[in-house]
Amino acid sequence: MKTNIPAHTWPRDFTWGVATSAFQVEGAAREDGRGPSIWDTRCTLPGKVHKGGSGDVSCDHYNRYPEDIAIMRSLGVDAYRFSISWPRVLPAGRGKVNEAGMAFYDRLVDSLLAADIEPWACLYHWDMPQALENLGGWAARDSAGWFADYSALMAQRLGDRVKRWITFNEFSVFTLFGYAMDWCAPGLVDRTANLRAIHHVNLAHGRCVDVLRSNVRDASIGAVHNRQVVRPATPGDADRSAAAMLDAHWNLAFPEPQLRATYPALLAEAIEPWVQAGDMAQICRRIDWLGLNHYGPIFAKADPTAIWGFGWADAPADAPVREDIGWAIFPDAFRDELIELSQRYKLPVYVTENGCGTLDKPDATGAVHDPKRVAYLETYTAAMHEAITAGADVRGYFAWSLLDSFEWGAGYTNPFGLVHVDFETQKRTLKSSARWYANFIEQARSTQANPAAVTSIRRRGAANRRG
Ligand code: FCB
C-alpha cells in the first residue's frame, strides 16, 4: 500500500490526528451519574434516527478508551480530538458536579498523555443537557452563561494538562438542523428560535474564549466550523437565491461575527432584535486557530415551504464520484476552501474533520477492506497538500473518525471509522484505511523530519501568500 502514498513533504510540526465526539462513541449513557442530553431524547422519538439506534452503548469508549488509545498509538497519531459530554460532568447542565464523570476525563487525558498523544478537547459537540433544553436551550439568552460556567469547570479541571481547546463543533449544523429543519436535536422548526440560537451560541463562544484564556495557561483556542461551498441545484434565480441564503447560514453566520464582529447581510436584520449593546465585541474574541470540518460541496434548491426558503438538493448526476451515502466527492473544493479560509481570516487552519462514510463489513477472514475510504483519504490529503503549496496556512489534519460510531440521524448505517466496530461484541478491527493512514503518517513524518524539505514547503507557501 505504501506505493499509493504520494511522496509529499509536509510542514514542520504538522499534526496528524483522529477525531470522535462524546455522544457518538462514549455509550455508558446511564453509568456513573450521567444526565440525559437532547440527543438521548431524540433517539427515543420514532423516525428521527435511521433504523433506530441510540448512544446508549455505541462503542462503549467510556469503558474501552484504553484499548482505543492503544489503537491510536499503533496508528502513530500525534493528537486525539474528542469532546466532553456536558451532561456527564453536569447532569442537570449546571449546579451539582458529577465527580465520576469528571474523573473519566482525567483518566482519558492522563492515558493520552502517557501514550504521547496530545488531547484536543471540544466543549460542545451537540449534546446539550436535556435539563437546560427544558429551560429553552440555546434559544434562551441564559445559555451563554450556562456554557461559560461549564467551560470554566472543565478548564479548571483539565487545563493543567489540556492546552488545545475547541469551543464548539459545527455551529451552523446544530443550529440550522436543530432549530430550522428537525434533522438534529432539539428538532424545532422555528425561525425565531433559530435566530436566537445563532446569536446565543455566538455569545457562548465568545464567553468561553474568555474563560479559557483566564483559566488555562498557554491555551491554544480554536473554533470548529463546517464550511463547504454551496452550489445551486440549477442556474435559475430561485435556486441561486436559495444557495445564497444557505451559504449565509452554513458558512458565514458564525465565523463572520466571531472574527469580524458582523453578521452576514442576509441575516443581519433578522438577528438584530436579539443583539444587545456590547454583544458583538463579546462575540469577537481573539482565537488562535480555526478548525475546518469539510466533506464535500452541498447543493441548494428553492423550497418556498421551508422557513428559510431553501431545501437540500442532491448532487448533480454527473458529480465525479459518490460515497455510499450520496455525499459528493470534490477534493478541489476542499483545496479551494482551505485557501479561502486561510486568506479570509488570516489564522492558522487545522482540518478538524474529514473522512468518508462507507459500510464495509469483515470478509471471511475477518479483514475489513474499505477501498473507497482509502481513495477518498488519498485524494483529500493530496488536495490539502496542494492548498499548503498554494499558501494556505494549514497546520494539521484529523481524520473523521477513529471508530465506527453513532452517526446522528443516520444511526449506525453510515460508519466513518478507520476502525470497524462490531457493535454486538465490541470487537475493534483496523480497516485497510487505518493501515493506510498509519503508513501515510509515517511517511509524512519522515519528510517533516528533514529540515530542508519542511522549511522549503513553508517558504514556498509564504511566498505564494505574498503573491
Ligand atoms: C460532522 C459531525 C460529526 C460527524 C461527521 C460525519 O458534521 O461534526 O459528528 O457526524 O459530520
Side-chain angles (χ1 to χ4, degrees):
M1 201 162 288
K2 267 190 174 156
T3 49
N4 291 336
I5 298 172
H8 290 139
T9 54
W10 293 90
R12 187 195 295 272
D13 297 332
F14 199 85
T15 299
W16 296 102
V18 284
T20 65
S21 86
F23 189 83
Q24 292 176 277
V25 298
E26 282 183 6
R30 279 173 277 282
E31 276 178 49
D32 291 347
R34 175 185 175 279
S37 76
I38 53 176
W39 266 96
D40 293 290
T41 306
R42 187 166 176 84
C43 290
T44 66
L45 305 176
K48 301 300 183 196
V49 174
H50 188 47
K51 298 194 176 165
S54 74
D56 286 0
V57 180
S58 187
C59 323
D60 194 26
H61 185 63
Y62 182 76
N63 293 304
R64 292 168 196 267
Y65 70 90
E67 181 183 354
D68 296 335
I69 292 175
I71 292 172
M72 287 183 236
R73 200 171 156 78
S74 78
L75 299 182
V77 297
D78 302 303
Y80 176 44
R81 175 186 166 221
F82 61 97
S83 77
I84 293 162
S85 159
W86 186 351
R88 193 178 289 292
V89 293
L90 287 165
R94 56 191 183 147
K96 194 168 178 312
V97 175
N98 178 28
E99 177 52 33
M102 298 293 278
F104 165 66
Y105 293 106
D106 275 335
R107 291 195 298 279
L108 179 67
V109 164
D110 290 344
S111 308
L112 286 165
L113 292 172
D116 208 14
I117 297 170
E118 189 180 35
W120 289 49
C122 175
L123 285 159
Y124 192 77
H125 201 125
W126 305 358
D127 48 356
M128 173 169 268
Q130 182 61 46
L132 297 182
E133 181 58 32
N134 298 346
L135 300 176
W138 295 114
R141 190 174 165 98
D142 283 349
S143 57
W146 303 330
F147 188 69
D149 291 346
Y150 151 63
S151 303
L153 175 75
M154 298 319 300
Q156 285 158 12
R157 180 70 170 239
L158 301 178
D160 57 337
R161 289 154 290 157
V162 176
K163 299 299 171 188
R164 299 287 197 161
W165 290 89
I166 295 164
T167 59
F168 282 82
N169 176 70
E170 297 192 352
F171 304 82
S172 57
V173 174
F174 74 87
T175 53
L176 183 64
F177 290 179
Y179 289 84
M181 305 189 79
D182 191 17
W183 288 355
C184 276
L188 305 183
V189 181
D190 179 332
R191 192 183 159 99
T192 300
N194 189 190
L195 291 165
R196 292 172 61 96
I198 291 171
H199 188 58
H200 300 149
V201 167
N202 273 321
L203 266 180
H205 158 85
R207 291 195 55 183
C208 176
V209 173
D210 289 353
V211 160
L212 292 169
R213 283 269 178 250
S214 54
N215 285 286
V216 181
R217 185 194 299 246
D218 300 328
S220 172
I221 304 170
V224 167
H225 298 281
N226 51 289
R227 284 179 52 108
Q228 274 124 332
V229 63
V230 183
R231 299 192 173 147
T234 69
D237 285 351
D239 285 351
R240 288 160 74 99
S241 304
M245 183 54 100
L246 176 52
D247 182 54
H249 274 272
W250 197 258
N251 292 320
L252 302 170
F254 297 92
E256 291 290 293
Q258 291 173 18
L259 300 160
R260 295 177 163 184
T262 168
Y263 277 108
L266 282 178
L267 291 174
E269 209 181 302
I271 293 180
E272 187 58 36
W274 292 285
V275 180
Q276 297 183 9
D279 281 3
M280 297 316 286
Q282 175 61 74
I283 290 169
C284 184
R285 313 307 269 184
R286 180 178 67 80
I287 58 171
D288 302 298
W289 48 273
L290 281 171
L292 172 68
N293 289 1
H294 183 103
Y295 292 89
I298 52 176
F299 298 86
K301 62 179 178 202
D303 178 356
T305 66
I307 61 174
W308 291 109
F310 58 72
W312 237 250
D314 287 338
D318 61 349
V321 194
R322 306 281 294 275
E323 297 171 42
D324 295 3
I325 47 162
W327 293 11
I329 300 183
F330 285 91
D332 289 0
F334 180 46
R335 177 200 58 211
D336 296 347
E337 184 58 57
L338 286 165
I339 295 169
E340 147 79 9
L341 191 61
S342 178
Q343 284 174 351
R344 188 177 179 94
Y345 299 116
K346 311 265 182 292
L347 281 171
V349 175
Y350 288 87
V351 176
T352 34
E353 278 183 33
N354 175 242
C356 176
T358 70
L359 195 56
D360 300 287
K361 302 217 164 102
D363 66 15
T365 69
V368 185
H369 295 294
D370 55 345
K372 286 189 193 163
R373 181 172 292 102
V374 172
Y376 180 99
L377 294 172
E378 273 176 358
T379 51
Y380 271 71
T381 49
M384 175 170 68
H385 192 271
E386 282 173 28
I388 296 170
T389 307
D393 185 5
V394 185
R395 306 268 178 104
Y397 177 90
F398 290 76
W400 183 271
S401 174
L402 174 67
L403 301 168
D404 286 349
S405 65
F406 176 81
E407 267 300 332
W408 312 113
Y412 291 91
T413 62
N414 180 28
F416 276 74
L418 301 174
V419 176
H420 178 268
V421 177
D422 178 327
F423 293 105
E424 298 295 316
T425 62
Q426 291 297 340
K427 183 177 187 308
R428 274 85 164 127
T429 305
L430 269 61
K431 302 180 190 175
S432 334
S433 56
R435 300 186 195 288
W436 176 88
Y437 194 41
N439 285 337
F440 181 91
I441 293 173
E442 195 187 337
Q443 171 146 346
R445 206 170 275 136
S446 72
T447 71
Q448 287 170 232
N450 170 353
V454 288
T455 45
S456 85
I457 185 170
R458 270 261 173 264
R459 218 178 292 128
R460 242 183 306 144
N464 287 339
R465 265 198 300 284
R466 282 195 297 274

